[in-house]
Amino acid sequence: MRAAGWMWLVALSIVGGCRSEGEALSQSSAAIEATDPVVWVNQVNTSVSGTTITKTGGQDQMEDAGAVSQQSVASGDAAFQYTVDETGRFRFVGFGHTSTWQGAANIDYSFRMQAGHADVYERNSYRTDIVVAVGDVLKLDVVGGVAHYYKNGALQYTSAQAPVYPLRIATSMIDASSTIAQAKISGAASGAVTWVNLVNATVTGSTLQKTGGEPDMEDAGAASQQSIASGNASFQFTIDETSRFRFVGLGHTSTWQGAANIDFSFRLQAGHADVYEHNSYRTDILVGVGDVMRLDISSGVAKYYKNGALQYTSAQAPVYPLYVIASMIDANSTIAQATFGVGPGSPPPPPPGHHFCGWLMGVGDNATTDPYFNDFAANAASFDAVHPTWWSVNAGGGGNCCTGGGTFCESFGNPRSTYAPCVSEQVRSNTTYGGKRTKLIPMVAATTGGQVAIVRQMLANTSAMDQWVSTLVGFAQSDRYDGYDIDFEHLYDGTNPQVRSQLVTFMTKLASALHPLGKTVSIAVDAFDHSDANSMWDVASLLNVCDQVHVMGYDYHGIGTNHPGPVDPLGWAQAAMVFMAGLNNGATVGKLIWGLPNYGVEGPDGQPVIGEPQQGLKVWIANHPGYATTSTEMASCPFNVDTHYDAGRSPNGYVGANHAYFDDISSLEQKVSAAAAQGFGGITYWTVGDEPDQPAGRTFFQMVRAHFPQQ
């Protein structure tokens, strides 16, 4: 993947289409996710072991056993899911509104499991069939007052019955040894705070405001009607103005008693939302209008976030019940768009990352004999993961490989294509799909003008985001991918800065959907030697969301530049590594994967770089025997006037009037060594195939593994 010059390659090699997964995948599971393991209480003739509840008492074939969740959702949206662990025994599970087991007739929305089915029943009345198998993930959510039933992310049934709150998970078991496994609940977005016990304050819409008392006096406030009796909790609000003095957070009293009685709070004033606990300072947080502040209690630990990025972890234990409490000092102080509910819990840990990977794009016209696919197969054991360029956004004109239609196009090499010359089995057979260790994490690309326009439209529409996520999850499950690598480029055109936050939201949704399935998500970003604020990538936030962030550490000179020069000069690469390693105070450096170029550029000195088909460095080296390893180009390069970056080892040579710049094993090692020294998580490169073979004495793969050993 080439940051500046990749688009011209698309027409040559990235062709494809999207295979339809059936009409059910056209609607996705809603944004709210079930992440918190259900805590079963009020058990009757049941016992719990790990994440499974089992009928262990009562009579076989009698409805005399069950339990409910300790967690409840007081209002708003909620989700529940579980995994089918066996298909024969007779039992019900779903959402009800009672705090004790009262049989299937009192489960408002349920799956009725027996004999290979998990049919939809509501208060023990049949609605529709769902055929299931072991391993299927069944989900039930209530969004906007409407209940939906899903299997593996695909919508199965939409209820016409309105919910009754509070919602709890309830199970009712008939057959002996019936089980419910891996049940999870979420109500993190359970609805707007209902402010009560107001003192010198009023509520308008979703905003609480100080409208009485004295200016500059702490004499106004309120508390939430909702409370959390135990376990996890989540509160968030949106900054509507930054100057006035007020506190808001979580405390354990049902009435306003001042900031000293707010256990965990944000103190807002003069562009700050600093962390205070019992009115004692903890840390600074700078804020602007529109920032979303969140406070989570998860597994007994309070954490403070700004726009999804962790700011502070508390050392103070929570005291229950938890309420949202605001205390206001300045006149007209406000708290806007506050929500409160059951927290996200401890999310499933992301799957282990990878330290050496590569993007893989074929260069032939027959995938079964493609030389780069064959090069990967020969060296597959050296990789932790591979990112074949199998998917692109369907903007029409996808070529012969694009046979499925829909949102995404199959590209060259994708086994989903029904056009035989496009199908590559030698790639996936040498990954986890074929029982090998190398992870199969295909790339999803949008780099051409039409594709970019479609992605912008998707990012501006929450429903479209959810549909894309659902479709990708379906492919990942059916094709046994280990995750996805996202390569969306050119989204920011100078007039749409909102794409930065929209892209983070999309990646958050994708990660939230893939992580519970044991799959990863990564994204490709440009290399930045200074602020990324004027780009489409909010790298710091993406690092908090994704498992890996692949840095395209090349194209300093590339397709589109007005003169040839080093593709990845060492000084520039080092500066970018230092800047990016310092994001999030260095906490996320291990997620950064530095990208190397396996190609060169050439053109007459002082004239534009020539576009040409992909060729690996082995070919560039062979075409320039006796090449030089130093260059003076950076000393006069107009890109380098203010920065004075050193080229480092810079292989180059002439063929006729064309001056070529490329890398060899030793010049690449300078970047690999620098990445390891900065604490980067690993190395990737564009693209697998014809890797450099000079200087002799060791292979490219041995060089990389010397710095990032196989684990």
Side-chain angles (χ1 to χ4, degrees):
M1 142 191 21
R2 301 192 36 191
W6 196 58
M7 287 194 291
W8 65 276
L9 289 170
V10 175
L12 294 173
S13 302
I14 303 294
V15 291
C18 170
R19 205 179 142 111
S20 172
E21 282 296 292
E23 186 176 348
L25 282 183
S26 68
Q27 299 191 58
S28 68
S29 114
I32 188 161
E33 297 297 332
T35 57
D36 208 15
V38 168
V39 177
W40 295 106
V41 295
N42 297 332
Q43 296 169 234
V44 177
N45 292 323
T46 59
S47 60
V48 175
S49 177
T51 60
T52 301
I53 184 170
T54 305
K55 177 174 177 176
T56 51
Q59 299 296 313
D60 187 22
Q61 300 181 359
M62 291 287 291
E63 188 179 14
D64 57 0
V68 297
S69 63
Q70 180 186 66
Q71 303 99 314
S72 65
V73 179
S75 63
D77 298 345
F80 157 66
Q81 74 174 43
Y82 70 103
T83 301
V84 176
D85 62 334
E86 73 86 29
T87 62
R89 297 186 181 97
F90 187 13
R91 69 273 198 202
F92 295 79
V93 68
F95 272 130
H97 63 277
T98 62
S99 60
T100 58
W101 165 73
Q102 295 183 24
N106 281 284
I107 306 180
D108 301 334
Y109 310 101
S110 72
F111 295 100
R112 178 194 188 274
M113 290 173 289
Q114 188 179 32
H117 282 242
D119 299 336
V120 173
Y121 272 64
E122 297 183 340
R123 296 178 187 160
N124 209 11
S125 295
Y126 168 80
R127 295 293 184 259
T128 194
D129 286 356
I130 304 176
V131 176
V132 294
V134 172
D136 285 343
V137 177
L138 298 174
K139 179 180 173 183
L140 170 59
D141 69 25
V142 177
V143 176
V146 179
H148 311 85
Y149 298 76
Y150 299 88
K151 183 179 84 170
N152 299 329
L155 180 66
Q156 305 294 310
Y157 182 76
T158 299
S159 178
Q161 176 177 298
V164 179
Y165 293 91
L167 293 173
R168 285 184 171 85
I169 308 306
T171 182
S172 190
M173 298 174 164
I174 296 89
D175 286 352
S177 301
S178 293
T179 52
I180 301 296
Q182 300 179 47
K184 298 176 182 179
I185 183 174
S186 178
S190 59
V193 168
T194 301
W195 295 105
V196 295
N197 297 328
L198 278 65
V199 177
N200 292 323
T202 58
V203 176
T204 303
S206 61
T207 300
L208 173 72
Q209 184 172 30
K210 177 174 177 176
T211 52
E214 296 296 324
D216 305 322
M217 291 288 290
E218 189 179 15
D219 58 0
S224 65
Q225 183 182 67
Q226 303 100 312
S227 65
I228 302 293
S230 63
N232 300 322
S234 183
F235 158 65
Q236 76 173 38
F237 68 102
T238 301
I239 302 290
D240 61 334
E241 72 86 31
T242 61
S243 63
R244 297 188 180 96
F245 187 13
R246 69 273 199 202
F247 295 80
V248 68
L250 296 177
H252 62 278
T253 62
S254 60
T255 58
W256 165 73
Q257 297 182 24
N261 281 286
I262 307 179
D263 303 337
F264 310 98
S265 73
F266 295 99
R267 179 192 188 274
L268 293 97
Q269 190 179 31
H272 283 242
D274 300 337
V275 173
Y276 272 63
E277 297 182 342
H278 295 293
N279 208 10
S280 295
Y281 168 81
R282 296 292 184 260
T283 194
D284 285 357
I285 305 176
L286 295 174
V287 294
V289 172
D291 285 341
V292 177
M293 315 305 295
R294 191 175 90 239
L295 173 56
D296 285 348
I297 308 293
S298 178
S299 301
V301 178
K303 296 182 178 182
Y304 299 77
Y305 298 85
K306 182 180 86 169
N307 298 329
L310 180 65
Q311 305 294 311
Y312 181 75
T313 300
S314 178
Q316 175 178 300
V319 178
Y320 294 92
L322 292 171
Y323 297 84
V324 179
I325 303 173
S327 190
M328 298 170 161
I329 297 90
D330 285 352
N332 299 315
S333 295
T334 51
I335 302 297
Q337 300 178 44
T339 64
F340 183 43
V342 176
S346 300
H354 50 263
H355 305 285
F356 182 33
C357 54
W359 293 290
L360 176 58
M361 182 189 73
V363 293
D365 56 11
N366 188 328
T368 60
T369 60
D370 186 272
Y372 281 16
F373 294 165
N374 289 336
D375 279 354
F376 166 73
N379 295 289
S382 297
F383 294 94
D384 296 320
V386 65
H387 307 297
T389 59
W390 280 356
W391 292 104
S392 62
V393 172
N394 188 358
N400 291 332
C401 299
C402 186
T403 57
T407 304
F408 303 101
C409 266
E410 300 101 331
S411 302
F412 185 66
N414 192 333
R416 272 188 169 266
S417 177
T418 58
Y419 182 62
C422 291
V423 176
S424 164
E425 288 294 343
Q426 69 267 44
V427 174
R428 69 177 182 177
S429 65
N430 282 284
T431 66
T432 53
Y433 184 95
K436 306 296 179 61
R437 66 175 296 277
T438 303
K439 294 179 180 179
L440 178 60
I441 304 176
M443 187 177 81
V444 182
T447 59
T448 66
Q451 294 171 342
V452 169
I454 291 171
V455 173
R456 288 174 182 156
Q457 293 171 3
M458 176 274 293
L459 292 177
N461 186 312
T462 300
S463 296
M465 278 195 206
D466 293 337
Q467 180 185 355
W468 282 39
V469 168
S470 180
T471 301
L472 290 171
V473 168
F475 292 155
Q477 290 180 300
S478 62
D479 289 23
R480 306 207 304 270
Y481 299 157
D482 295 297
Y484 286 106
D485 183 56
I486 303 300
D487 179 28
F488 294 166
E489 301 183 30
H490 317 298
L491 297 179
Y492 179 58
D493 62 6
T495 65
N496 57 340
Q498 68 274 11
V499 298
R500 283 170 57 84
S501 61
Q502 291 170 345
L503 182 59
V504 172
T505 299
F506 173 76
M507 296 303 295
T508 301
K509 288 175 177 286
L510 185 59
S512 297
L514 291 174
H515 283 170
L517 303 175
K519 303 179 188 298
T520 65
V521 60
S522 56
I523 190 169
V525 305
D526 278 351
F528 294 96
D529 57 354
H530 59 284
S531 172
D532 60 22
N534 292 322
S535 83
M536 60 173 276
W537 293 290
D538 180 351
V539 180
S541 293
L542 290 169
L543 281 165
N544 284 318
V545 169
C546 299
D547 301 292
Q548 284 85 34
V549 170
H550 295 126
V551 181
M552 296 182 284
Y554 37 75
D555 283 348
Y556 187 90
H557 296 90
I559 305 301
T561 56
N562 59 12
H563 65 279
V567 178
D568 54 340
L570 178 62
W572 168 74
Q574 290 173 322
M577 291 176 193
V578 169
F579 172 75
M580 300 181 83
L583 295 172
N584 298 320
N585 296 317
T588 50
V589 63
K591 292 185 176 185
L592 291 165
I593 308 293
W594 185 260
L596 304 171
N598 186 27
Y599 61 89
V601 298
E602 65 179 347
D605 286 323
Q607 297 185 35
V609 170
I610 300 169
E612 51 196 304
Q614 169 71 36
Q615 292 179 317
L617 288 171
K618 180 179 179 180
V619 177
W620 285 84
I621 290 169
N623 288 343
H624 299 85
Y627 59 86
T629 58
T630 60
S631 166
T632 61
E633 192 281 331
M634 289 294 287
S636 59
C637 177
F639 307 153
N640 197 30
V641 171
D642 297 323
T643 49
H644 308 292
Y645 290 139
D646 178 52
R649 182 180 174 95
S650 182
N652 68 98
Y654 285 90
V655 173
N658 286 336
H659 196 173
Y661 293 83
F662 47 91
D663 280 279
D664 61 12
I665 292 175
S666 294
S667 68
L668 291 177
E669 185 171 27
Q670 290 183 328
K671 271 72 81 170
V672 173
S673 175
Q678 286 297 327
F680 273 52
I683 295 295
T684 188
Y685 65 107
W686 179 269
T687 169
V688 175
D690 280 335
E691 288 79 7
D693 58 355
Q694 297 295 325
R698 58 183 173 163
T699 68
F700 166 76
F701 300 101
Q702 290 169 334
M703 179 274 289
V704 173
R705 283 305 191 187
H707 297 275
F708 291 94
Q710 196 170 89
Q711 297 182 358

